[in-house]
Amino acid sequence: MDVPQYLFLDFEFTMPETKTTPDRFYPEIIEVGLVAVVDEQIVSQFSAYVKPLRFPQLTDRCKSFLNITQEQIDRGMSFYELVSLLRQYDRERPTTVVTWGSMDMKVLRENCQSARVEFPFTGEHRDLAMEYKRFFGNKNQTGLRKAVQEYGNEGIGKAHCALDDAFTAYTIFRLVENDKKYLAKTKPTTIGERIDFTQLRKKFAL
């Protein structure tokens, strides 16, 4: 049986200039970063820009926020090539996709529907931001970079670079999983384990 694969995935999206511009705007993937992990070892990584289908011209707000140029996007892979690549990862072995938050999978699904192509993943999806929130009992969802800083680490590379964010998500995943294992090993003893009831029974039998 194939060893399962974790695919740490991050996308960057197009952004509207204003709430009404462009008309009928919806976010599209323009950058992908992924880190594939098998048996706790990184087996591959990938990063590329992606050309949006519906709104190929980036807004000034998007270019400024992501520090990205129109030329970089124009030279990127097509959305259909991206879907084909993701499907290839999914077919290689049983795959669990891990993202920070639900937005990545939501936009991918919507972009696939718009492009009339099949969603590339068939396995489990784990929202690491939600797992982090539940694990620490936080009221609000923590941002990716803040979460890794709360562990005393710095994020990999720069924020809003898809590959760097995918690596940062993998870093947090390992930290949280290690904490889960530690807590599982150090569960508090039950009252029955702390008190020797055989001695009590002897005492009260006298």
Side-chain angles (χ1 to χ4, degrees):
M1 182 178 176
D2 287 333
V3 179
Q5 169 178 249
Y6 286 98
L7 196 64
F8 295 86
L9 189 61
D10 187 84
F11 297 127
E12 300 300 331
F13 315 119
T14 53
M15 302 168 65
E17 195 63 46
T18 67
K19 288 184 178 180
T20 58
T21 308
D23 185 39
R24 298 181 182 177
F25 176 88
Y26 60 84
E28 294 177 89
I29 295 166
I30 52 173
E31 187 181 5
V32 55
L34 63 85
V35 178
V37 177
V38 177
D39 203 15
E40 300 185 0
Q41 297 294 320
I42 295 173
V43 294
S44 69
Q45 64 184 65
F46 179 80
S47 175
Y49 293 115
V50 183
K51 290 180 282 192
L53 296 172
R54 177 70 175 83
F55 299 96
Q57 294 298 312
L58 302 185
T59 63
D60 290 338
R61 176 170 168 247
C62 180
K63 287 185 284 188
S64 175
F65 184 81
L66 295 178
N67 191 27
I68 201 169
T69 68
Q70 186 66 50
E71 290 72 26
Q72 287 173 310
I73 297 303
D74 290 342
R75 293 196 299 266
M77 67 194 307
S78 74
F79 178 72
Y80 301 104
E81 288 172 320
L82 170 65
V83 172
S84 178
L85 173 78
L86 298 178
R87 187 172 291 122
Q88 184 177 334
Y89 273 96
D90 188 71
R91 285 174 176 167
E92 284 176 357
R93 57 180 71 239
T95 298
T96 296
V97 178
V98 184
T99 62
W100 189 264
S102 60
M103 190 68 174
D104 297 271
M105 290 296 97
K106 180 175 181 286
V107 173
L108 175 61
R109 195 174 293 279
E110 289 173 350
N111 286 184
C112 285
Q113 290 172 350
S114 178
R116 297 182 180 178
V117 295
E118 188 178 347
F119 189 71
F121 296 120
T122 57
E124 182 187 4
H125 168 234
R126 289 176 60 174
D127 179 349
L128 188 57
M130 186 59 68
E131 291 185 19
Y132 185 92
K133 176 184 175 183
R134 288 171 179 161
F135 183 69
F136 288 103
N138 296 339
K139 290 183 178 179
N140 300 315
Q141 192 161 300
T142 307
L144 175 65
R145 297 282 159 161
K146 185 181 177 186
V148 80
Q149 286 170 357
E150 287 177 351
Y151 262 108
N153 293 357
E154 288 299 321
I156 307 298
K158 62 177 184 176
H160 305 300
C161 168
L163 184 59
D164 289 346
D165 284 349
F167 268 110
T168 300
Y170 174 48
T171 299
I172 296 174
F173 178 84
R174 285 186 300 164
L175 291 168
V176 172
E177 289 298 304
N178 284 338
D179 275 356
K180 286 179 182 177
K181 290 175 185 176
Y182 175 77
L183 289 175
K185 290 177 183 176
T186 57
K187 284 183 178 178
T189 55
T190 66
I191 189 167
E193 291 170 323
R194 289 196 295 266
I195 300 172
D196 187 345
F197 282 105
T198 59
Q199 296 301 317
L200 280 175
R201 280 197 293 270
K202 288 177 183 177
K203 178 180 178 181
F204 287 107
L206 296 174

